[in-house]
Amino acid sequence: MPAVSGDRFSSQNMSDCAFCPPEGRRFRTTRTCNECGRPLCLICRPAVPKAPFLCPECGGGPREDAIHQPGAAIERIRAAGNAAPYWLTVIERRLQATSPAVVETEIVPE
């Protein structure tokens, strides 16, 4: 068995997130819940600085989907008095840019 290389990100020190939906992609992470120690990725629970990193079962609130609904995670982080991480704002802008635009008036040629 190979020895752990000491690299920050290697297959030996990362685990599958315990809260990612089974029908979707299961992200790998080194982060764990502060209470129970279960692996918890940043997609299911974006971290808030100076706040405990808790899973949904330990009182951290419902599981979030920061890739498909980054607005909820951004609001939670801003409500705690912190700036939203850049990667979340980029995802939110990309989703807004790809969503169909609402047309208020329709121009019909005569």
Side-chain angles (χ1 to χ4, degrees):
M1 180 167 189
V4 177
S5 65
D7 291 338
R8 184 171 172 201
F9 302 109
S10 70
S11 61
Q12 286 84 15
N13 62 4
M14 295 184 82
S15 303
D16 287 335
C17 177
F19 297 94
C20 285
E23 68 275 358
R25 180 177 179 184
R26 297 188 69 86
F27 289 96
R28 306 232 349 126
T29 184
T30 58
R31 293 184 173 266
T32 58
C33 173
N34 291 350
E35 292 288 322
C36 65
R38 292 173 63 186
L40 180 62
C41 71
L42 290 175
I43 303 303
C44 293
R45 173 68 52 204
V48 176
K50 301 177 186 172
F53 193 67
L54 298 174
C55 69
E57 294 178 0
C58 293
R63 187 187 80 80
E64 296 176 10
D65 186 1
I67 290 180
H68 298 104
Q69 299 172 346
I74 290 172
E75 287 303 317
R76 183 177 62 84
I77 293 170
R78 287 186 180 152
N82 296 301
Y86 180 72
W87 64 273
L88 268 177
T89 58
V90 168
I91 291 173
E92 182 180 44
R93 287 182 193 146
R94 285 185 178 177
L95 284 175
Q96 290 172 352
T98 59
S99 65
V102 177
V103 179
E104 294 180 8
T105 58
E106 184 175 340
I107 300 173
V108 180
E110 294 181 19

